Amino acid sequence: MLGKVARRRREGLFRHMDDRLAEHTYLAGQDFTLADIMSAFAVTTLPTLIGESLDDYSNIKRYAQQIAARPAWLKAMEIAGPKAKRPHS
């Protein structure tokens, strides 16, 4: 039951985000803000971890690709992303 509730909430959130991103480049408008930083994990990494696709959300898919191409994001992923190499101890 909890899984179904969580899935419905996630789908509702993604629908809302997709609608918002249909009209704006970023969540808070035309500029990259803290709202985007806070949401980045949910659209760049979470779908992979839970085995779901963003194919039904074309605006989120574009947004996730945009975030993942940012130089600071690329650097952060090199350091702490899912494919990051562990530092030598």
Coordinates of all heavy atoms in Angstrom, one line a residue:
M1 N 0.8 -1.2 0.0 CA 0.0 0.0 0.0 C 0.9 1.3 0.0 O 0.6 2.2 -0.7 CB -0.9 0.0 1.2 CG -1.7 1.3 1.4 SD -3.4 0.9 1.5 CE -3.9 2.5 2.2
L2 N 1.9 1.3 0.8 CA 2.8 2.4 0.9 C 3.5 2.7 -0.5 O 3.7 3.8 -0.9 CB 3.8 2.3 2.0 CG 3.3 2.4 3.4 CD1 4.5 2.1 4.4 CD2 2.7 3.7 3.7
G3 N 3.8 1.6 -1.1 CA 4.4 1.7 -2.5 C 3.5 2.4 -3.5 O 3.9 3.2 -4.3
K4 N 2.2 2.0 -3.4 CA 1.2 2.6 -4.3 C 1.0 4.1 -4.0 O 1.0 4.9 -4.9 CB -0.1 1.9 -4.2 CG -0.1 0.5 -4.8 CD -1.5 -0.1 -4.6 CE -1.5 -1.5 -5.2 NZ -2.8 -2.2 -5.0
V5 N 1.0 4.5 -2.8 CA 0.8 5.9 -2.4 C 2.1 6.7 -2.8 O 1.9 7.7 -3.4 CB 0.6 6.0 -0.8 CG1 0.7 7.5 -0.4 CG2 -0.7 5.4 -0.4
A6 N 3.2 6.1 -2.6 CA 4.5 6.8 -3.0 C 4.5 7.0 -4.5 O 4.9 8.0 -5.0 CB 5.7 6.0 -2.5
R7 N 4.1 6.0 -5.2 CA 4.1 6.0 -6.7 C 3.1 7.1 -7.2 O 3.5 7.9 -8.1 CB 3.8 4.7 -7.3 CG 3.8 4.7 -8.9 CD 3.6 3.3 -9.5 NE 4.5 2.4 -9.0 CZ 4.2 1.3 -8.3 NH1 3.0 1.0 -7.9 NH2 5.2 0.5 -7.9
R8 N 1.9 7.2 -6.6 CA 1.0 8.2 -7.0 C 1.5 9.6 -6.7 O 1.3 10.5 -7.5 CB -0.4 8.0 -6.3 CG -1.2 6.9 -6.9 CD -2.7 7.0 -6.5 NE -2.9 7.2 -5.1 CZ -3.1 6.3 -4.2 NH1 -3.2 5.0 -4.5 NH2 -3.3 6.6 -2.9
R9 N 2.1 9.8 -5.5 CA 2.7 11.1 -5.2 C 3.8 11.5 -6.2 O 3.9 12.6 -6.6 CB 3.2 11.1 -3.8 CG 2.1 11.1 -2.8 CD 2.6 11.3 -1.4 NE 1.5 11.4 -0.4 CZ 1.6 11.6 0.8 NH1 2.8 11.6 1.4 NH2 0.6 11.7 1.6
R10 N 4.6 10.5 -6.5 CA 5.8 10.8 -7.4 C 5.2 11.2 -8.8 O 5.6 12.1 -9.4 CB 6.7 9.6 -7.5 CG 7.9 9.9 -8.3 CD 8.9 8.7 -8.3 NE 8.3 7.5 -8.8 CZ 8.0 6.4 -8.1 NH1 8.1 6.4 -6.8 NH2 7.5 5.4 -8.7
E11 N 4.2 10.4 -9.2 CA 3.6 10.7 -10.5 C 3.0 12.0 -10.6 O 3.1 12.8 -11.5 CB 2.7 9.6 -10.9 CG 3.4 8.3 -11.3 CD 2.4 7.1 -11.4 OE1 1.2 7.3 -11.2 OE2 2.9 6.0 -11.8
G12 N 2.3 12.4 -9.5 CA 1.7 13.7 -9.4 C 2.7 14.8 -9.4 O 2.5 15.8 -10.1
L13 N 3.8 14.6 -8.6 CA 4.9 15.6 -8.6 C 5.5 15.7 -10.0 O 5.7 16.9 -10.5 CB 6.0 15.2 -7.6 CG 7.2 16.0 -7.7 CD1 7.0 17.4 -7.3 CD2 8.3 15.4 -6.8
F14 N 5.7 14.6 -10.7 CA 6.3 14.7 -12.0 C 5.4 15.4 -13.0 O 5.8 16.1 -13.9 CB 6.8 13.3 -12.5 CG 8.1 12.8 -11.9 CD1 8.4 11.5 -12.1 CD2 8.9 13.7 -11.2 CE1 9.6 11.0 -11.5 CE2 10.1 13.2 -10.7 CZ 10.5 11.9 -10.8
R15 N 4.1 15.1 -12.9 CA 3.1 15.8 -13.8 C 3.2 17.3 -13.6 O 3.2 18.1 -14.5 CB 1.7 15.2 -13.6 CG 1.4 14.0 -14.4 CD -0.1 13.7 -14.4 NE -0.7 13.6 -13.1 CZ -0.7 12.5 -12.3 NH1 -0.1 11.4 -12.7 NH2 -1.2 12.5 -11.2
H16 N 3.2 17.7 -12.3 CA 3.2 19.1 -12.0 C 4.5 19.7 -12.5 O 4.5 20.8 -13.1 CB 3.1 19.3 -10.5 CG 3.1 20.7 -10.0 ND1 2.1 21.6 -10.3 CD2 4.1 21.4 -9.4 CE1 2.4 22.8 -9.8 NE2 3.6 22.7 -9.3
M17 N 5.6 19.1 -12.3 CA 6.9 19.6 -12.7 C 6.9 19.7 -14.3 O 7.4 20.7 -14.8 CB 8.1 18.7 -12.3 CG 8.5 18.8 -10.8 SD 9.8 17.7 -10.4 CE 11.2 18.5 -11.2
D18 N 6.4 18.7 -14.9 CA 6.4 18.7 -16.4 C 5.6 19.8 -16.9 O 6.0 20.5 -17.9 CB 5.9 17.3 -16.9 CG 6.3 17.1 -18.3 OD1 7.5 17.0 -18.6 OD2 5.4 17.0 -19.2
D19 N 4.4 20.1 -16.3 CA 3.6 21.2 -16.7 C 4.3 22.5 -16.5 O 4.3 23.4 -17.4 CB 2.3 21.2 -16.0 CG 1.4 20.0 -16.4 OD1 1.6 19.4 -17.4 OD2 0.4 19.8 -15.6
R20 N 5.0 22.7 -15.4 CA 5.7 23.9 -15.1 C 6.8 24.1 -16.1 O 7.0 25.2 -16.6 CB 6.2 23.8 -13.7 CG 7.1 25.0 -13.3 CD 6.4 26.2 -12.9 NE 7.3 27.2 -12.5 CZ 7.0 28.5 -12.5 NH1 5.7 28.9 -12.7 NH2 7.9 29.4 -12.1
L21 N 7.6 23.0 -16.4 CA 8.7 23.1 -17.3 C 8.3 23.3 -18.7 O 9.1 23.6 -19.6 CB 9.6 21.9 -17.1 CG 10.3 21.9 -15.8 CD1 11.0 20.5 -15.5 CD2 11.4 23.0 -15.7
A22 N 7.0 23.1 -19.0 CA 6.5 23.4 -20.4 C 6.5 24.9 -20.7 O 6.7 25.3 -21.8 CB 5.1 22.8 -20.6
E23 N 6.5 25.6 -19.6 CA 6.4 27.1 -19.8 C 7.6 27.8 -19.3 O 7.8 29.0 -19.6 CB 5.2 27.6 -19.0 CG 3.9 27.1 -19.4 CD 2.7 27.5 -18.6 OE1 2.9 28.5 -17.8 OE2 1.6 26.9 -18.7
H24 N 8.5 27.1 -18.6 CA 9.7 27.8 -18.1 C 11.0 26.9 -18.3 O 10.9 25.7 -18.3 CB 9.6 28.0 -16.6 CG 8.4 28.9 -16.3 ND1 8.3 30.2 -16.4 CD2 7.1 28.5 -15.8 CE1 7.2 30.7 -16.1 NE2 6.4 29.7 -15.7
T25 N 12.1 27.6 -18.4 CA 13.4 26.8 -18.6 C 13.7 26.1 -17.3 O 14.2 24.9 -17.4 CB 14.5 27.8 -19.0 OG1 14.1 28.5 -20.2 CG2 15.8 27.0 -19.2
Y26 N 13.5 26.7 -16.2 CA 13.8 26.1 -14.9 C 12.6 26.2 -14.0 O 11.6 26.9 -14.3 CB 15.0 26.9 -14.3 CG 16.3 26.7 -15.0 CD1 16.8 27.8 -15.8 CD2 17.0 25.5 -15.0 CE1 18.0 27.7 -16.5 CE2 18.2 25.4 -15.8 CZ 18.7 26.5 -16.5 OH 19.8 26.3 -17.2
L27 N 12.7 25.5 -12.9 CA 11.5 25.5 -12.0 C 11.0 26.8 -11.5 O 9.8 27.0 -11.4 CB 11.8 24.5 -10.8 CG 11.9 23.1 -11.2 CD1 12.3 22.2 -10.0 CD2 10.6 22.5 -11.8
A28 N 11.9 27.7 -11.2 CA 11.5 29.0 -10.7 C 11.4 30.1 -11.8 O 11.1 31.2 -11.5 CB 12.4 29.5 -9.6
G29 N 11.6 29.7 -13.0 CA 11.5 30.7 -14.1 C 12.6 30.5 -15.1 O 12.9 29.3 -15.5
Q30 N 13.2 31.5 -15.6 CA 14.2 31.5 -16.6 C 15.6 31.3 -16.1 O 16.6 31.1 -16.8 CB 14.1 32.7 -17.5 CG 12.8 32.8 -18.3 CD 12.4 31.5 -19.0 OE1 11.5 30.8 -18.6 NE2 13.1 31.2 -20.1
D31 N 15.8 31.5 -14.8 CA 17.1 31.4 -14.2 C 17.3 30.1 -13.3 O 16.3 29.7 -12.7 CB 17.4 32.6 -13.3 CG 17.4 33.9 -14.0 OD1 18.0 33.9 -15.2 OD2 16.8 34.9 -13.6
F32 N 18.5 29.6 -13.3 CA 18.8 28.4 -12.5 C 18.9 28.8 -11.0 O 19.6 29.8 -10.7 CB 20.1 27.8 -13.0 CG 20.6 26.6 -12.3 CD1 20.0 25.4 -12.7 CD2 21.5 26.6 -11.3 CE1 20.4 24.2 -12.1 CE2 21.9 25.4 -10.7 CZ 21.3 24.2 -11.1
T33 N 18.1 28.2 -10.2 CA 18.1 28.6 -8.8 C 18.2 27.4 -7.8 O 18.4 26.2 -8.3 CB 16.7 29.3 -8.4 OG1 15.7 28.3 -8.5 CG2 16.4 30.4 -9.4
L34 N 18.2 27.7 -6.5 CA 18.2 26.6 -5.5 C 17.1 25.5 -5.8 O 17.3 24.4 -5.5 CB 18.1 27.2 -4.1 CG 18.2 26.2 -3.0 CD1 19.6 25.5 -3.0 CD2 18.1 27.0 -1.7
A35 N 16.0 26.0 -6.3 CA 14.9 25.0 -6.5 C 15.4 23.9 -7.5 O 15.0 22.7 -7.3 CB 13.7 25.7 -7.1
D36 N 16.2 24.3 -8.5 CA 16.7 23.3 -9.4 C 17.8 22.4 -8.8 O 17.8 21.2 -9.1 CB 17.3 24.1 -10.6 CG 16.3 25.0 -11.3 OD1 15.2 24.4 -11.7 OD2 16.5 26.2 -11.3
I37 N 18.6 23.0 -8.0 CA 19.6 22.2 -7.3 C 18.9 21.1 -6.4 O 19.3 20.0 -6.4 CB 20.5 23.1 -6.4 CG1 21.4 24.0 -7.4 CG2 21.4 22.2 -5.5 CD1 22.1 25.1 -6.7
M38 N 17.9 21.6 -5.7 CA 17.2 20.7 -4.8 C 16.4 19.6 -5.5 O 16.2 18.5 -5.0 CB 16.2 21.5 -3.9 CG 16.9 22.5 -3.0 SD 18.0 21.7 -1.8 CE 16.8 20.9 -0.7
S39 N 16.0 19.9 -6.7 CA 15.2 18.9 -7.5 C 16.0 18.0 -8.4 O 15.5 17.1 -9.0 CB 14.2 19.7 -8.4 OG 13.3 20.4 -7.5
A40 N 17.3 18.4 -8.6 CA 18.1 17.7 -9.6 C 18.2 16.2 -9.4 O 18.1 15.4 -10.3 CB 19.5 18.3 -9.6
F41 N 18.4 15.8 -8.1 CA 18.5 14.3 -7.8 C 17.3 13.6 -8.3 O 17.3 12.5 -8.8 CB 18.8 14.1 -6.3 CG 18.8 12.7 -5.9 CD1 19.9 11.9 -6.2 CD2 17.7 12.1 -5.4 CE1 19.9 10.5 -5.8 CE2 17.7 10.7 -5.0 CZ 18.8 10.0 -5.2
A42 N 16.1 14.2 -8.0 CA 14.8 13.5 -8.3 C 14.6 13.3 -9.8 O 14.0 12.3 -10.2 CB 13.7 14.4 -7.8
V43 N 15.3 14.1 -10.6 CA 15.1 13.9 -12.1 C 16.3 13.4 -12.8 O 16.1 12.9 -14.0 CB 14.6 15.2 -12.8 CG1 13.3 15.7 -12.2 CG2 15.6 16.3 -12.7
T44 N 17.4 13.4 -12.2 CA 18.6 12.9 -12.9 C 19.0 11.5 -12.4 O 19.6 10.7 -13.2 CB 19.8 13.8 -12.7 OG1 20.1 13.9 -11.3 CG2 19.6 15.2 -13.4
T45 N 18.8 11.2 -11.1 CA 19.3 9.9 -10.6 C 18.2 9.0 -10.1 O 18.3 7.8 -10.3 CB 20.3 10.3 -9.4 OG1 21.3 11.2 -9.9 CG2 21.0 9.0 -8.9
L46 N 17.2 9.6 -9.4 CA 16.2 8.7 -8.8 C 15.5 7.8 -9.8 O 15.3 6.6 -9.5 CB 15.1 9.6 -8.1 CG 14.1 8.9 -7.3 CD1 14.7 8.0 -6.2 CD2 13.1 9.9 -6.7
P47 N 15.1 8.3 -11.0 CA 14.5 7.4 -11.9 C 15.3 6.1 -12.2 O 14.8 5.0 -12.3 CB 14.3 8.2 -13.2 CG 14.1 9.6 -12.7 CD 15.1 9.7 -11.5
T48 N 16.6 6.3 -12.3 CA 17.5 5.1 -12.6 C 17.5 4.2 -11.4 O 17.4 3.0 -11.5 CB 18.9 5.6 -12.9 OG1 18.9 6.5 -14.0 CG2 19.9 4.5 -13.2
L49 N 17.6 4.8 -10.2 CA 17.6 4.0 -9.0 C 16.4 3.1 -8.8 O 16.4 2.0 -8.2 CB 17.9 4.8 -7.8 CG 19.3 5.5 -7.7 CD1 19.3 6.4 -6.4 CD2 20.4 4.5 -7.6
I50 N 15.2 3.7 -9.1 CA 13.9 3.0 -8.9 C 13.5 2.3 -10.1 O 12.4 1.6 -10.1 CB 12.8 3.9 -8.4 CG1 12.5 5.0 -9.4 CG2 13.2 4.5 -7.0 CD1 11.4 5.9 -8.9
G51 N 14.3 2.3 -11.2 CA 13.9 1.6 -12.4 C 12.8 2.1 -13.2 O 12.0 1.4 -13.8
E52 N 12.6 3.4 -13.2 CA 11.5 4.1 -14.0 C 12.1 5.0 -15.0 O 13.2 5.5 -14.8 CB 10.5 4.8 -13.0 CG 9.8 3.8 -12.2 CD 8.6 4.4 -11.5 OE1 8.3 5.6 -11.8 OE2 8.0 3.7 -10.7
S53 N 11.3 5.3 -16.0 CA 11.7 6.2 -17.1 C 11.0 7.5 -17.0 O 9.9 7.6 -16.5 CB 11.4 5.5 -18.4 OG 11.5 6.4 -19.5
L54 N 11.6 8.5 -17.5 CA 11.0 9.9 -17.6 C 10.4 10.1 -19.0 O 10.0 11.2 -19.4 CB 12.0 11.0 -17.3 CG 12.5 11.0 -15.9 CD1 13.6 12.1 -15.8 CD2 11.4 11.3 -14.9
D55 N 10.2 9.0 -19.8 CA 9.8 9.1 -21.2 C 8.4 9.8 -21.3 O 8.1 10.4 -22.3 CB 9.8 7.8 -21.9 CG 11.2 7.3 -22.2 OD1 12.1 8.1 -22.1 OD2 11.3 6.0 -22.4
D56 N 7.5 9.6 -20.3 CA 6.2 10.2 -20.3 C 6.2 11.7 -20.0 O 5.2 12.4 -20.0 CB 5.3 9.5 -19.4 CG 5.0 8.1 -19.8 OD1 5.1 7.8 -21.0 OD2 4.6 7.3 -19.0
Y57 N 7.4 12.2 -19.6 CA 7.5 13.6 -19.2 C 8.6 14.3 -20.0 O 9.7 14.5 -19.6 CB 7.9 13.7 -17.7 CG 7.0 12.9 -16.8 CD1 7.4 11.6 -16.4 CD2 5.8 13.4 -16.4 CE1 6.5 10.8 -15.5 CE2 4.9 12.6 -15.6 CZ 5.3 11.4 -15.2 OH 4.4 10.6 -14.4
S58 N 8.2 14.7 -21.2 CA 9.2 15.3 -22.1 C 9.9 16.5 -21.6 O 11.1 16.7 -21.9 CB 8.6 15.5 -23.5 OG 7.5 16.5 -23.4
N59 N 9.2 17.3 -20.9 CA 9.8 18.6 -20.4 C 10.8 18.3 -19.2 O 11.8 18.9 -19.1 CB 8.7 19.5 -19.9 CG 7.8 19.9 -21.1 OD1 8.3 20.4 -22.1 ND2 6.5 19.7 -20.9
I60 N 10.5 17.3 -18.4 CA 11.4 16.9 -17.3 C 12.6 16.3 -18.0 O 13.7 16.5 -17.5 CB 10.7 16.0 -16.3 CG1 9.7 16.7 -15.5 CG2 11.8 15.4 -15.4 CD1 8.9 15.8 -14.6
K61 N 12.4 15.5 -19.0 CA 13.5 14.8 -19.6 C 14.5 15.9 -20.2 O 15.7 15.8 -20.0 CB 13.0 13.9 -20.7 CG 14.0 12.9 -21.2 CD 13.3 11.9 -22.1 CE 14.2 10.9 -22.6 NZ 13.6 9.9 -23.4
R62 N 14.0 16.9 -20.9 CA 14.8 18.0 -21.4 C 15.5 18.7 -20.2 O 16.7 19.0 -20.3 CB 13.9 19.0 -22.1 CG 14.7 20.2 -22.6 CD 14.1 21.6 -22.4 NE 13.0 21.8 -21.7 CZ 13.0 22.5 -20.5 NH1 14.1 22.9 -19.9 NH2 11.8 22.7 -19.9
Y63 N 14.8 19.0 -19.2 CA 15.3 19.7 -18.0 C 16.5 18.9 -17.4 O 17.5 19.4 -17.0 CB 14.2 19.9 -17.0 CG 14.5 20.4 -15.7 CD1 14.8 21.7 -15.4 CD2 14.3 19.6 -14.6 CE1 15.1 22.2 -14.2 CE2 14.6 20.0 -13.3 CZ 14.9 21.3 -13.1 OH 15.2 21.8 -11.8
A64 N 16.3 17.6 -17.2 CA 17.3 16.7 -16.6 C 18.5 16.7 -17.5 O 19.7 16.8 -16.9 CB 16.7 15.3 -16.4
Q65 N 18.4 16.7 -18.8 CA 19.5 16.7 -19.7 C 20.3 18.1 -19.6 O 21.5 18.1 -19.6 CB 19.1 16.4 -21.1 CG 18.6 15.0 -21.3 CD 17.9 14.8 -22.7 OE1 17.5 15.8 -23.3 NE2 17.7 13.6 -23.0
Q66 N 19.5 19.1 -19.4 CA 20.1 20.5 -19.3 C 20.9 20.6 -18.0 O 22.0 21.1 -18.0 CB 18.9 21.4 -19.2 CG 19.1 22.8 -19.8 CD 17.8 23.5 -19.8 OE1 16.7 23.0 -20.2 NE2 17.8 24.7 -19.4
I67 N 20.3 20.1 -16.9 CA 21.1 20.1 -15.6 C 22.3 19.2 -15.7 O 23.4 19.6 -15.3 CB 20.1 19.6 -14.5 CG1 19.1 20.7 -14.2 CG2 21.0 19.3 -13.2 CD1 18.1 20.3 -13.2
A68 N 22.2 18.0 -16.3 CA 23.3 17.1 -16.3 C 24.4 17.6 -17.2 O 25.6 17.1 -17.1 CB 22.8 15.7 -16.8
A69 N 24.2 18.6 -18.1 CA 25.2 19.1 -18.9 C 25.9 20.4 -18.3 O 26.9 20.8 -18.9 CB 24.6 19.6 -20.3
R70 N 25.4 20.8 -17.2 CA 26.0 22.0 -16.6 C 27.4 21.6 -16.0 O 27.6 20.6 -15.5 CB 25.2 22.5 -15.4 CG 23.8 23.0 -15.9 CD 23.0 23.5 -14.7 NE 23.6 24.6 -14.0 CZ 23.4 25.9 -14.3 NH1 22.7 26.2 -15.4 NH2 24.0 26.9 -13.6
P71 N 28.4 22.5 -16.3 CA 29.8 22.2 -15.8 C 29.9 21.8 -14.3 O 30.6 20.9 -14.0 CB 30.6 23.5 -16.1 CG 29.8 24.1 -17.3 CD 28.4 23.7 -17.0
A72 N 29.2 22.6 -13.5 CA 29.3 22.3 -12.0 C 28.7 20.9 -11.7 O 29.2 20.2 -10.9 CB 28.6 23.3 -11.2
W73 N 27.6 20.5 -12.4 CA 27.0 19.2 -12.2 C 28.0 18.1 -12.7 O 28.2 17.1 -12.0 CB 25.7 19.1 -13.0 CG 25.0 17.8 -12.8 CD1 25.1 16.7 -13.6 CD2 24.2 17.4 -11.7 NE1 24.4 15.6 -13.1 CE2 23.8 16.1 -11.9 CE3 23.7 18.1 -10.6 CZ2 23.0 15.4 -11.1 CZ3 22.9 17.4 -9.7 CH2 22.5 16.1 -10.0
L74 N 28.6 18.3 -13.8 CA 29.6 17.3 -14.3 C 30.7 17.1 -13.3 O 31.1 16.0 -13.0 CB 30.1 17.7 -15.7 CG 29.1 17.7 -16.8 CD1 29.7 18.4 -18.0 CD2 28.6 16.3 -17.1
K75 N 31.2 18.2 -12.8 CA 32.3 18.1 -11.8 C 31.8 17.4 -10.5 O 32.5 16.6 -10.0 CB 32.8 19.5 -11.4 CG 34.0 19.5 -10.5 CD 34.5 20.9 -10.3 CE 35.7 20.9 -9.4 NZ 36.3 22.2 -9.2
A76 N 30.6 17.7 -10.1 CA 30.1 17.1 -8.9 C 29.9 15.6 -9.1 O 30.2 14.8 -8.2 CB 28.7 17.7 -8.5
M77 N 29.5 15.2 -10.3 CA 29.3 13.8 -10.6 C 30.6 13.0 -10.7 O 30.7 11.9 -10.3 CB 28.5 13.6 -11.9 CG 27.0 14.0 -11.8 SD 26.1 13.1 -10.5 CE 26.1 14.3 -9.1
E78 N 31.7 13.7 -11.1 CA 33.0 13.1 -11.1 C 33.4 12.8 -9.7 O 34.1 11.8 -9.4 CB 34.0 14.1 -11.7 CG 33.9 14.2 -13.2 CD 34.9 15.2 -13.8 OE1 35.9 15.6 -13.0 OE2 34.7 15.6 -14.9
I79 N 33.1 13.7 -8.7 CA 33.5 13.5 -7.4 C 32.6 12.6 -6.6 O 33.1 11.7 -5.8 CB 33.5 14.9 -6.7 CG1 34.6 15.8 -7.3 CG2 33.8 14.8 -5.2 CD1 34.4 17.3 -6.9
A80 N 31.3 12.7 -6.8 CA 30.4 12.0 -5.9 C 29.2 11.3 -6.6 O 28.3 10.9 -6.0 CB 29.8 12.9 -4.8
G81 N 29.3 11.2 -7.9 CA 28.2 10.6 -8.7 C 28.2 9.1 -8.6 O 29.1 8.5 -8.1
P82 N 27.2 8.5 -9.2 CA 27.1 7.0 -9.1 C 28.3 6.3 -9.8 O 28.6 5.2 -9.4 CB 25.8 6.7 -9.9 CG 25.2 8.0 -10.3 CD 26.1 9.1 -9.9
K83 N 28.9 7.0 -10.7 CA 30.1 6.3 -11.4 C 31.4 6.9 -10.9 O 32.4 6.6 -11.5 CB 29.9 6.5 -12.9 CG 28.7 5.8 -13.5 CD 28.6 6.0 -15.0 CE 27.3 5.3 -15.5 NZ 27.1 5.6 -16.9
A84 N 31.4 7.6 -9.9 CA 32.6 8.2 -9.4 C 33.6 7.1 -8.8 O 33.1 6.1 -8.3 CB 32.3 9.2 -8.2
K85 N 34.8 7.3 -9.0 CA 35.8 6.4 -8.5 C 36.1 6.8 -7.1 O 36.2 7.9 -6.7 CB 37.1 6.5 -9.3 CG 36.9 6.0 -10.7 CD 38.2 6.0 -11.5 CE 37.9 5.5 -12.9 NZ 39.0 5.7 -13.8
R86 N 36.2 5.8 -6.2 CA 36.5 6.0 -4.8 C 37.9 6.5 -4.6 O 38.8 6.0 -5.3 CB 36.3 4.7 -4.0 CG 34.9 4.2 -4.0 CD 34.8 3.0 -3.1 NE 33.4 2.5 -3.2 CZ 32.5 2.7 -2.2 NH1 32.9 3.3 -1.1 NH2 31.3 2.2 -2.3
P87 N 38.1 7.4 -3.7 CA 39.4 7.9 -3.5 C 40.3 6.8 -2.9 O 39.8 6.0 -2.1 CB 39.3 9.1 -2.5 CG 37.9 9.0 -2.0 CD 37.1 8.1 -2.9
H88 N 41.5 6.9 -3.1 CA 42.5 5.9 -2.5 C 42.7 6.2 -1.1 O 42.9 7.4 -0.7 CB 43.8 5.8 -3.3 CG 43.6 5.5 -4.7 ND1 43.4 4.2 -5.1 CD2 43.6 6.2 -5.8 CE1 43.3 4.1 -6.4 NE2 43.4 5.4 -6.9
S89 N 42.6 5.2 -0.2 CA 42.9 5.5 1.2 C 44.3 5.2 1.7 O 45.0 4.6 1.1 CB 41.9 4.8 2.2 OG 41.2 3.8 1.6

